[in-house]
């Protein structure tokens, strides 16, 4: 298991504060890192600031009327604070956005083609072949319109599209939202394969804490815009605090 | 008579289809309902005047001048107006394009004067008779070139990587930027292409008539064409254009030129009532 203070950090967020329209801080002084080859989870209830954190990292804050007031975000050696989202993707951040956001009127193959378009053609073809290998279901549906597929298949496609750009790190936002538990487990089961075959680190945002803690090495817990708990996933899972808030275990049980 | 009207209807309709296709390309990319499309078409005619009369360029260079000029105009409009004011609601964006068309009209009248001009480009201009139909070579040329341009665009849109990225961007802005697409470039390219298609239409119309800012009214027939065909639909724009051309010729031929607009805009209203997404458009694919 990776150590929490991995010195080769792929994503580092330092002292990040964010607000929308100059109102109260939605995030204040967030510190966070993802090491090379690590799977890291961000947990938190609705309104804890998870989505805002993701938007800040992916460069979408401006589109949603938010602004970074302080702090720095780095991907590898590149300072990506306030860069445009398309530029950040080109620096190696793959995105699996909440709500999947596949291109509904394009076929499965075209969706993956768009993902691979940031790469030179030959390399793009290779990563697409690897994606089809990872999700044979996508290969079967190659010529189908993405909008006509089931939610789970669309989620696979969104993940495949992110991987097709051969990213160093992928950001997975609320993958389980609105999907049947079975297909969610199927997709999550592929995460370690993705890491070993694509060499991709992952930052996972999840409301389903159990799922995220199972697959990740480390986790951060957000509450009202601050990191209130962080550490190895196994430790976070046993912590009283997370039990109370996110795993649905009664407070008395952990006190006792 | 009927075959004569059908012939000229299809020929003019091809030009409308071309201008309408330009409208649709712009609408798909930037969701701007471009009321300036008619004036962009007029700009094409005046680019031709500048190149051919003022600069005295030979015909092939005149064509190049028109295309490059239109492309630059489209890109400039995108970066100066659409992008800075982007993300606004549909209505302000429509007002922006109306303002744009008024400004373009004024600029053209300042530079070239208000009076219509005559421009003769070396295009085939003879007439031959086929059965009882008088076939104007200019009409045939306009139709053939329009269809070639439309075909070229469809191949580009369906088969090239840039076309794929354009379709992806039209599908979803946020998904596009999160896939690393440089959306600004794609949108600027869409405005360039949309303006070029309009300009080519303008060149043919100013050969069939005089060069004048009043050609805008004909160019604006692209709007009912796209609404009838389906705003988001590429084949819809082309077929909508043909339909409007046919209706125009049949109505003016059999009834009166005054009847033309009734027969174009009543179907438009019917479409909006019955099938607001147009004959060839599709309802949005539902979110699963």
């Amino acid at each position: 298991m990776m150590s929490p203070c991995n010195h080769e950090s792929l994503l580092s967020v330092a002292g990040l504060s964010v607000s929308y329209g100059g109102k109260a801080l939605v995030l204040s002084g967030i510190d966070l890192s993802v090491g090379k080859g690590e799977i890291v989870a961000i947990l938190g209830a609705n309104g804890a600031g998870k989505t805002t954190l993701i938007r800040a990292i992916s460069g979408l804050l401006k589109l949603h009327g938010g602004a970074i007031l302080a702090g720095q975000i780095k991907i590898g050696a590149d300072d990506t604070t306030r860069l445009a989202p398309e530029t950040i993707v080109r620096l190696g951040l793959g995105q699996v956005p909440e709500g999947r956001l596949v291109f509904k009127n394009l076929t499965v193959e075209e969706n993956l083609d768009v993902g691979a378009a940031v790469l030179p053609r030959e390399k793009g073809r290779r990563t697409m072949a690897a994606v089809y290998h990872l999700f044979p279901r996508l290969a079967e549906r190659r010529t189908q319109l993405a909008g006509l597929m089931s939610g789970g298949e669309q989620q696979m496609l969104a993940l495949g599209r992110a991987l097709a750009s051969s990213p160093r790190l992928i950001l997975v936002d609320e993958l389980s939202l609105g999907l049947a538990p079975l297909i969610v487990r199927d997709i999550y089961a592929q995460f370690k394969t993705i890491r070993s075959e694509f060499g991709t680190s992952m930052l996972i945002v999840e409301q389903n804490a159990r799922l995220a803690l199972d697959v990740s090495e480390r986790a951060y817990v957000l509450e009202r815009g601050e990191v209130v708990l962080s550490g190895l996933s196994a430790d976070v899972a046993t912590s009283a605090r997370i039990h109370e808030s996110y795993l649905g275990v009664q407070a008395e049980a952990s006190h006792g | 008579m009927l075959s004569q009207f059908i012939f000229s209807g299809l020929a003019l309709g091809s030009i409308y289809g071309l201008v309408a296709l330009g409208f649709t390309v712009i609408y798909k990319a930037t969701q701007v309902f471009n009321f300036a499309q008619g004036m962009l078409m007029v700009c094409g005619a005046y680019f031709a005047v500048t190149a051919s009369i003022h600069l005295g360029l030979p015909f092939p260079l005149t064509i190049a001048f028109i295309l490059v000029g239109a492309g630059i105009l489209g890109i400039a409009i995108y970066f100066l107006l659409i992008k800075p004011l982007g993300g606004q609601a549909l209505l302000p964006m429509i007002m922006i394009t109306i303002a744009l068309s008024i400004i373009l009209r004024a600029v053209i009248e300042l530079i070239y004067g208000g009076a219509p001009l005559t421009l003769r480009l070396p295009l085939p201009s003879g007439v031959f008779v086929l059965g009882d139909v008088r076939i104007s070579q200019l009409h045939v040329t306009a139709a053939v070139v329009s269809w070639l341009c439309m075909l070229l665009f469809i191949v580009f849109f369906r088969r090239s990587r840039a076309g794929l990225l354009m379709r992806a961007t039209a599908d979803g802005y946020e998904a596009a930027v999160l896939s690393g697409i440089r959306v600004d470039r794609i949108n600027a390219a869409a405005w360039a292409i949309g303006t070029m298609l309009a300009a080519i239409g303008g060149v043919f119309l100013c050969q069939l008539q005089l060069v004048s800012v009043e050609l805008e009214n004909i160019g604006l027939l692209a709007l009912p064409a796209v609404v009838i065909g389906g705003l988001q639909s590429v084949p819809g724009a082309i077929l909508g254009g043909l339909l409007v051309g046919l209706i125009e010729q049949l109505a003016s031929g059999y009834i009166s030129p005054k009847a033309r607009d009734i027969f174009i805009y009543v179907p438009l209203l019917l479409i909006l009532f019955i099938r607001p997404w147009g004959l060839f458009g599709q309802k949005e694919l539902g979110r699963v």
Side-chain angles (χ1 to χ4, degrees):
Chain A
M1 193 171 283
M2 302 278 167
S3 116
C5 8
N6 194 319
H7 48 261
E8 201 175 349
S9 109
L10 198 50
L11 171 74
S12 71
V13 175
L16 183 73
S17 295
V18 171
S19 89
Y20 290 96
K23 294 191 206 106
L25 290 183
V26 179
L27 295 178
S28 66
I30 301 278
D31 293 305
L32 175 152
S33 74
V34 180
K36 211 169 169 185
E38 250 192 325
I39 301 180
V40 173
I42 298 176
L43 310 175
N46 265 334
K50 301 192 302 292
T51 302
T52 303
L53 177 57
I54 290 291
R55 283 177 184 163
I57 296 171
S58 60
L60 279 179
L61 261 187
K62 210 171 129 193
L63 185 70
H64 294 277
I68 294 176
L69 301 184
Q72 192 190 39
I73 302 168
K74 284 173 81 178
I75 294 175
D78 302 299
D79 184 343
T80 62
T81 327
R82 299 185 188 87
L83 286 187
E86 58 270 30
T87 313
I88 297 176
V89 172
R90 282 157 190 272
L91 289 171
L93 182 72
Q95 311 254 4
V96 186
E98 186 188 333
R100 305 181 272 284
L101 300 184
V102 294
F103 300 110
K104 292 192 171 64
N105 296 298
L106 303 190
T107 64
V108 168
E109 176 119 327
E110 287 172 334
N111 267 273
L112 296 178
D113 260 332
V114 171
V118 299
L119 301 174
R121 263 167 217 276
E122 196 43 50
K123 195 177 178 203
R125 265 193 280 276
R126 279 204 304 276
T127 57
M128 276 177 63
V131 168
Y132 280 137
H133 184 73
L134 184 71
F135 295 116
R137 185 113 56 121
L138 294 181
E140 287 161 24
R141 313 248 152 151
R142 212 178 271 253
T143 57
Q144 187 166 16
L145 285 185
L148 298 175
M149 299 203 300
S150 73
E153 289 165 339
Q154 288 190 13
Q155 189 67 75
M156 271 180 207
L157 181 58
L159 187 54
R161 185 184 60 198
L163 290 172
S165 67
S166 192
R168 292 190 275 175
L169 169 72
I170 56 175
L171 221 59
V172 184
D173 192 7
E174 302 284 12
L175 183 139
S176 68
L177 212 67
L179 293 185
L182 215 62
I183 189 124
V184 172
R185 295 221 165 260
D186 277 356
I187 298 174
Y188 264 90
Q190 297 284 25
F191 275 22
K192 304 225 157 142
T193 318
I194 291 173
R195 172 168 57 186
S196 58
E197 284 186 14
F198 290 78
T200 308
S201 316
M202 284 178 234
L203 183 62
I204 302 166
V205 174
E206 253 306 336
Q207 279 206 42
N208 185 335
R210 243 179 249 279
L211 212 55
L213 290 172
D214 271 353
V215 75
S216 61
E217 277 98 33
R218 286 192 302 120
Y220 295 85
V221 178
L222 286 185
E223 221 173 87
R224 285 185 294 280
E226 289 177 45
V227 175
V228 292
L229 185 65
S230 66
L232 297 175
S233 298
D235 298 340
V236 171
T238 53
S239 118
R241 207 160 177 166
I242 187 87
H243 272 247
E244 286 167 26
S245 316
Y246 308 109
L247 295 182
V249 178
Q250 291 302 308
E252 298 90 309
S254 46
H255 287 166
Chain B
M1 278 305 258
L2 178 65
S3 40
Q4 181 70 56
F5 293 145
I6 289 180
F7 165 73
S8 46
L10 288 177
L12 285 172
S14 304
I15 303 178
Y16 303 159
L18 191 67
V19 180
L21 177 61
F23 175 96
T24 295
V25 172
I26 287 172
Y27 183 80
K28 275 178 91 82
T30 52
Q31 277 77 53
V32 173
F33 195 97
N34 184 22
F35 270 97
Q37 190 70 4
M39 204 38 91
L40 294 181
M41 194 198 80
V42 173
C43 288
Y46 281 94
F47 281 138
V49 169
T50 304
S52 184
I53 299 177
H54 296 169
L55 300 176
L57 297 178
F59 186 60
L61 284 181
T62 298
I63 300 293
F65 181 91
I66 296 163
L67 290 177
V68 172
I72 293 173
L73 177 64
I75 292 169
I77 292 171
Y78 175 69
F79 280 111
L80 296 178
L81 282 181
I82 307 303
K83 188 191 170 207
L85 298 165
Q88 307 237 28
L90 195 58
L91 193 61
M93 293 311 283
I94 286 178
M95 293 308 297
I96 287 164
T97 66
I98 291 176
L100 172 67
S101 93
I102 292 171
I103 290 168
L104 285 174
R105 173 188 280 259
V107 168
I108 288 171
E109 285 182 330
L110 272 177
I111 298 176
Y112 300 90
L117 303 169
T118 309
L119 172 68
R120 278 288 150 256
L121 294 172
L123 292 169
S125 57
V127 171
F128 56 90
V129 178
L130 197 75
D132 55 352
V133 183
R134 286 168 51 83
I135 307 271
S136 130
Q137 290 181 15
L138 190 55
H139 275 90
V140 173
T141 311
V144 169
V145 172
S146 297
W147 280 94
L148 278 178
C149 291
M150 294 187 280
L151 202 68
L152 205 66
F153 173 78
I154 289 173
V155 170
F156 159 81
F157 201 51
R158 290 271 139 208
R159 293 273 168 260
S160 75
R161 176 172 273 196
L164 171 69
L165 297 184
M166 206 171 261
R167 283 184 290 139
T169 307
D171 203 302
Y173 176 84
E174 198 158 326
V177 293
L178 290 179
S179 303
I181 298 178
R182 296 187 180 107
V183 172
D184 274 343
R185 291 190 196 181
I186 297 292
N187 287 349
W191 272 86
I193 291 171
T195 309
M196 289 198 294
L197 294 176
I200 297 167
V203 171
F204 282 114
L205 277 180
C206 81
Q207 291 302 289
L208 295 168
Q209 307 198 4
L210 293 172
V211 184
S212 148
V213 285
E214 300 311 326
L215 287 177
E216 184 194 14
N217 297 328
I218 306 177
L220 285 177
L221 286 176
L223 301 185
V226 294
V227 173
I228 292 172
L231 272 181
Q232 294 273 13
S233 164
V234 166
I238 296 170
L239 295 169
L242 285 176
L243 206 59
V244 167
L246 279 175
I247 294 174
E248 179 197 75
Q249 288 302 302
L250 291 171
S252 352
Y254 281 117
I255 304 170
S256 141
K258 303 262 178 239
R260 182 194 84 174
D261 289 342
I262 300 174
F263 283 90
I264 291 171
Y265 283 90
V266 167
L268 178 139
L269 292 175
L270 285 177
I271 285 279
L272 287 177
F273 275 116
I274 302 164
R275 208 180 143 84
W277 53 92
L279 288 180
F280 302 93
Q282 51 173 317
K283 277 203 268 192
E284 205 184 329
L285 287 177
R287 189 157 149 178
V288 187

